[in-house]
Amino acid sequence: TVGLHSLKGSSNVVQKADKVIMIKGADREDTHRLVTSVKSRDEAPFEMLSKFHFETMTYERMVLDA
């Protein structure tokens, strides 16, 4: 599983960064991504499901019905 310590130079990331956001997807061709804050000094953690648009290189937030 991918986590904060999977990042290249992870000891630097853990010690020096104020915020670390990870974008996870099943594979490169999948359009669904999970955007997650894995480290934040001043804010609450969050997760956001999104759809990635390859044509414009943008993310669109997806809202799941509760």
Side-chain angles (χ1 to χ4, degrees):
T1 181
V2 176
L4 183 60
H5 299 289
S6 302
L7 301 171
K8 184 173 182 169
S10 61
S11 62
N12 252 353
V13 169
V14 172
Q15 293 171 3
K16 295 185 179 181
D18 289 333
K19 298 177 186 179
V20 178
I21 296 175
M22 293 187 78
I23 303 171
K24 301 176 188 177
D27 60 50
R28 289 180 174 263
E29 302 303 318
D30 187 22
T31 59
H32 294 88
R33 302 282 192 266
L34 182 64
V35 181
T36 309
S37 67
V38 291
K39 179 183 176 189
S40 180
R41 290 189 201 273
D42 304 330
E43 298 162 359
F46 73 89
E47 285 189 348
M48 179 184 75
L49 185 60
S50 63
K51 181 175 182 179
F52 182 68
H53 298 280
F54 290 98
E55 307 82 26
T56 57
M57 302 292 283
T58 58
Y59 292 89
E60 175 185 355
R61 183 178 183 177
M62 297 176 65
V63 179
L64 301 176
D65 295 331

